[in-house]
Amino acid sequence: MSIVTLLPFIVLIGAMFLMTRSAKKKQQAAAQMRDDMQPGTGVRTIGGMYATVKEIQHDTVLLEVAPGVHAVYAKNAIGAVLDDAEYNRIVHGDDALDVEGTVVPDDASSLTSGQADDTDDAKIDLGKKAEDDASPKEAEAEEAKADGEGDTK
């Protein structure tokens, strides 16, 4: 066998090794993050719920969802451990982010304010015409169809 025939298999095995290695590193980082949790820290679950850690067990975590409301979650359900400033900003709205630069408006109305409307386009009516507004030819054609003589030859 020559090296040329084995080269695709070697490349494939190398790619698989690199992919599993990076996935394993991500899993280890997530496990380390979950192990670093302490009671009183803010967390975000994988479902997007923000809560405070009250108690940590071997495989479970007791979270305080709201004052006086507790829920038991699996440790694997914790998506991120947040620092105090970020948790308070998200949950309580404290210390809004200071954004420098251009502020993007929520709607497009402020983008067009101050500009004159140069075009005087007539509005197009896309509604159906009422039967009273039908043209006389259409009315005669419908009467003929009602008599049975409309489209027959």
Side-chain angles (χ1 to χ4, degrees):
M1 280 194 145
S2 71
I3 190 77
V4 176
T5 58
L6 292 176
L7 189 63
F9 295 111
I10 294 171
V11 170
L12 182 64
I13 291 171
M16 289 174 52
F17 174 74
L18 290 175
M19 286 190 298
T20 57
R21 190 171 141 209
S22 65
K24 194 173 195 176
K25 281 185 178 181
K26 287 180 184 179
Q27 286 177 347
Q28 287 175 346
Q32 181 65 33
M33 179 234 0
R34 290 182 186 113
D35 289 338
D36 291 343
M37 281 189 303
Q38 299 294 325
T41 58
V43 294
R44 181 182 66 235
T45 65
I46 57 174
M49 183 180 67
Y50 293 92
T52 305
V53 177
K54 286 297 174 185
E55 187 179 313
I56 300 173
Q57 301 294 326
H58 179 65
D59 288 336
T60 61
V61 178
L62 181 66
L63 299 179
E64 185 176 27
V65 179
V69 179
H70 297 86
V72 177
Y73 277 79
K75 271 190 177 179
N76 292 339
I78 304 300
V81 177
L82 308 172
D83 60 350
D84 291 335
E86 184 178 5
Y87 180 77
N88 288 332
R89 181 183 59 80
I90 293 171
V91 175
H92 303 296
D94 296 344
D95 298 327
L97 287 177
D98 295 331
V99 179
E100 295 180 16
T102 306
V103 177
V104 179
D106 290 339
D107 60 352
S109 63
S110 64
L111 296 175
T112 58
S113 64
Q115 295 178 355
D117 190 15
D118 295 337
T119 59
D120 192 20
D121 296 333
K123 291 187 178 183
I124 299 172
D125 183 21
L126 298 176
K128 289 178 96 176
K129 289 184 178 180
E131 289 185 25
D132 299 338
D133 296 342
S135 65
K137 278 188 173 181
E138 290 175 357
E140 289 175 12
E142 286 188 20
E143 286 178 18
K145 285 182 183 179
D147 292 338
E149 303 171 359
D151 291 331
T152 57
K153 292 186 179 183

